[in-house]
């Protein structure tokens, strides 16, 4: 997923307050509809979190496979 992330202050916060970090919702920004709240005015955090968990799991599997491949190549090169 491609998601635009920005730092910002809420309208009722002064610029002295630490900025928040989050997805930007709007027509000209990248944000999958699956992450939008039902009113399309915000982000459904659960959907974002579990999408990230799934991505980390997939990457961990890919890393394990690549480590196995590199190990096999090292063994083959020693022969």
């Amino acid at each position: 997923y491609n998601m635009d992330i920005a730092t910002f202050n809420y309208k009722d916060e002064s610029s002295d307050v630490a900025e928040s970090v989050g997805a930007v919702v709007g027509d000209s920004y990248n944000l999958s509809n699956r992450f939008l709240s039902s009113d399309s005015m915000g982000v459904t955090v659960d959907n974002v979190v579990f999408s990230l968990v799934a991505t980390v799991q997939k990457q961990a599997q890919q890393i394990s496979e690549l480590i196995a491949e590199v190990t096999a190549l090292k063994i083959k090169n020693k022969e």
Side-chain angles (χ1 to χ4, degrees):
Y1 302 105
N2 189 8
M3 182 186 311
D4 289 335
I5 305 294
T7 57
F8 57 90
N9 287 98
Y10 289 98
K11 292 177 185 176
D12 61 346
E13 294 178 334
S14 73
S15 60
D16 297 336
V17 176
E19 291 182 322
S20 297
V21 177
V24 182
V25 178
D27 292 333
S28 61
Y29 298 100
N30 290 315
L31 180 65
S32 172
N33 286 339
R34 79 177 48 215
F35 298 138
L36 287 176
S37 59
S38 58
D39 64 2
S40 297
M41 297 297 292
V43 174
T44 304
V45 175
D46 289 349
N47 290 356
V48 174
V49 168
F50 287 107
S51 293
L52 290 170
V53 169
T55 299
V56 169
Q57 290 172 332
K58 184 176 180 179
Q59 288 179 338
Q61 179 63 36
Q62 290 171 335
I63 290 168
S64 294
E65 291 168 4
L66 289 169
I67 288 171
E69 185 178 338
V70 167
T71 302
L73 288 170
K74 284 181 178 179
I75 291 170
K76 183 177 178 180
N77 284 335
K78 286 183 179 179
E79 294 175 354

